Structure formats: structure tokens, C-alpha cells
Amino acid sequence: LYVAEGRRGEVRGCALVSHDPEAGFVLLDWIAASPGETGGVGAALYAQVKADAEALGCHGLYFECLPDVAGE
């Protein structure tokens, strides 16, 4: 679990990941920023997850990305 905090300790975003060391990959299960957040929190979380996956020697960082559907 990754948590991005502001200067006063408020939660600005989070990411949940699973690591399979035997298969050598990380799965990004969930990533979110607080409503109205425009400071690059999601990008910073993703960058940290990616850096940690590389440090663990993983060959892949996977996530599911559903398509946008108009009207939903």
C-alpha cells in the first residue's frame, strides 16, 4: 500500500499493489487521487511503484485499464 500525504499528513492519494516474486512482476491493483487533486499525485504514486518494481528486479508492472464509455 502506497499513500501520498500532504504536508499536514492529509491523504492526497493511494495505490495498492501485489508483488509476485516467483513470477517476477508487480500488479497495480488500484490507484487514486483525492477529489480535486491536480498536483501530479497519481503520476508520483505510479513513478514510485514503477521504481520499486524495478528495484525488486521485476520484469513487468501490470494493470487493468478499462476503456472510457461515453455516458457512464
Side-chain angles (χ1 to χ4, degrees):
L1 176 64
Y2 292 78
V3 178
E5 295 180 340
R7 291 184 181 161
R8 289 169 273 170
E10 71 277 13
V11 175
R12 296 181 60 196
C14 59
L16 181 64
V17 300
S18 299
H19 174 226
D20 186 335
E22 196 170 301
F25 71 86
V26 168
L27 174 66
L28 176 57
D29 294 307
W30 190 73
I31 188 168
S34 297
E37 190 62 59
T38 59
V41 170
L45 283 165
Y46 181 81
Q48 187 61 57
V49 168
K50 182 176 181 269
D52 288 351
E54 290 172 349
L56 289 168
C58 293
H59 62 80
L61 169 56
Y62 301 103
F63 58 93
E64 180 178 10
C65 183
L66 300 175
D68 287 335
V69 178
E72 288 188 14

